[in-house]
Amino acid sequence: MALEAEIKIPVNDLETVIKRLKQEGFQETEVCREEDTYFNSPYYDMKEKDKALRIRRSRNMQTGEEWAQLNCKGAKLDQISMARKELETEIREPEIIEGILKELGFEPLSIQVIKTRRTLSNGEITAAADRVEGLGEFLELEIIAERENQREECLEKISRILRAIGYKMEQTVRTSYLSMLFGKRA
């Protein structure tokens, strides 16, 4: 099981952020449109447990290739970042997986998270430059660690990149896009 050491920060000018990341050695790898459908159940409340269960449908904007994933994210592991355990697998038929989840008592939430994501990488760190419908622009930086004891080291590497592009860890947010969208609705 992988550990996702991740931060999220709202940004005002995504193009400038991408330019700065490239100056720090990041290379753009793809541009995708992602549609996330989240699930919850009265028998297992994902929000109450600070977890997430979703089906993500993706389309590469350059090649037209489409794919889907089933993701289960564990509870956040600290009070600073979005670090959490994550299980994910590619799925060929998301409609069938959605049907299975419904049979088990999970229902899709009323809000979907839809975004255009430009992905960049410097080998170890993945940067997601996101334009989220209804929310605005964000940068996510993440490192996938194999063990929990690597989390602090990973977050320090992420902090160094943030400082290099003109941001600080104190500016990050721990709220998911889904929670932000529900907050705007309320």
Side-chain angles (χ1 to χ4, degrees):
M1 184 180 325
L3 172 79
E4 177 182 66
E6 175 185 313
I7 60 89
K8 177 185 304 165
I9 188 166
V11 297
N12 292 325
D13 183 357
L14 205 51
E15 293 305 318
T16 298
V17 169
I18 291 168
K19 182 179 174 184
R20 289 178 182 163
L21 286 168
K22 288 180 177 180
Q23 291 170 344
E24 293 300 316
F26 283 77
Q27 301 289 319
E28 193 161 345
T29 58
E30 65 184 6
V31 179
C32 293
R33 178 177 169 83
E34 298 179 345
E35 297 181 10
D36 294 344
T37 303
Y38 288 84
F39 294 84
N40 202 14
S41 167
Y43 309 107
Y44 192 92
D45 190 327
M46 300 301 285
K47 183 177 180 177
E48 179 183 297
K49 295 181 184 303
D50 191 30
K51 296 182 178 185
L53 178 64
R54 75 170 179 227
I55 293 176
R56 172 173 285 169
R57 292 169 173 89
S58 302
R59 182 171 52 88
N60 185 307
M61 304 295 282
Q62 295 138 322
T63 67
E65 177 188 6
E66 295 183 1
W67 64 95
Q69 293 175 309
L70 177 66
N71 303 80
C72 183
K73 293 183 176 231
K76 293 178 191 95
L77 298 171
D78 61 45
Q79 298 299 312
I80 299 166
S81 71
M82 301 280 292
R84 49 183 26 182
K85 292 180 181 175
E86 180 175 14
L87 298 168
E88 70 181 26
T89 188
E90 278 196 46
I91 53 176
R92 288 195 300 237
E93 300 179 79
E95 298 78 18
I96 291 178
I97 298 298
E98 186 168 332
I100 290 169
L101 291 173
K102 286 179 179 178
E103 283 294 318
L104 295 173
F106 286 86
E107 289 295 327
L109 299 180
S110 61
I111 292 179
Q112 275 192 311
V113 176
I114 300 172
K115 63 185 169 290
T116 301
R117 172 169 278 182
R118 291 174 66 181
T119 304
L120 301 95
S121 176
N122 72 354
E124 183 178 27
I125 301 173
T126 300
D130 292 340
R131 282 195 174 90
V132 184
E133 290 183 14
L135 290 179
E137 299 180 334
F138 296 83
L139 173 67
E140 291 185 4
L141 295 173
E142 83 171 24
I143 299 174
I144 302 298
E146 295 300 317
R147 295 181 309 281
E148 163 67 25
N149 64 0
Q150 296 173 311
R151 180 168 41 96
E152 290 299 321
E153 176 186 340
C154 292
L155 289 174
E156 180 52 39
K157 290 176 184 178
I158 287 171
S159 180
R160 282 195 296 269
I161 292 296
L162 271 182
R163 288 191 303 273
I165 63 170
Y167 291 93
K168 302 175 196 163
M169 287 293 276
E170 294 80 22
Q171 295 171 286
T172 63
V173 295
R174 295 183 68 241
T175 307
S176 70
Y177 295 141
L178 181 66
S179 293
M180 289 180 203
L181 287 167
F182 271 114
K184 280 187 77 171
R185 179 188 273 185

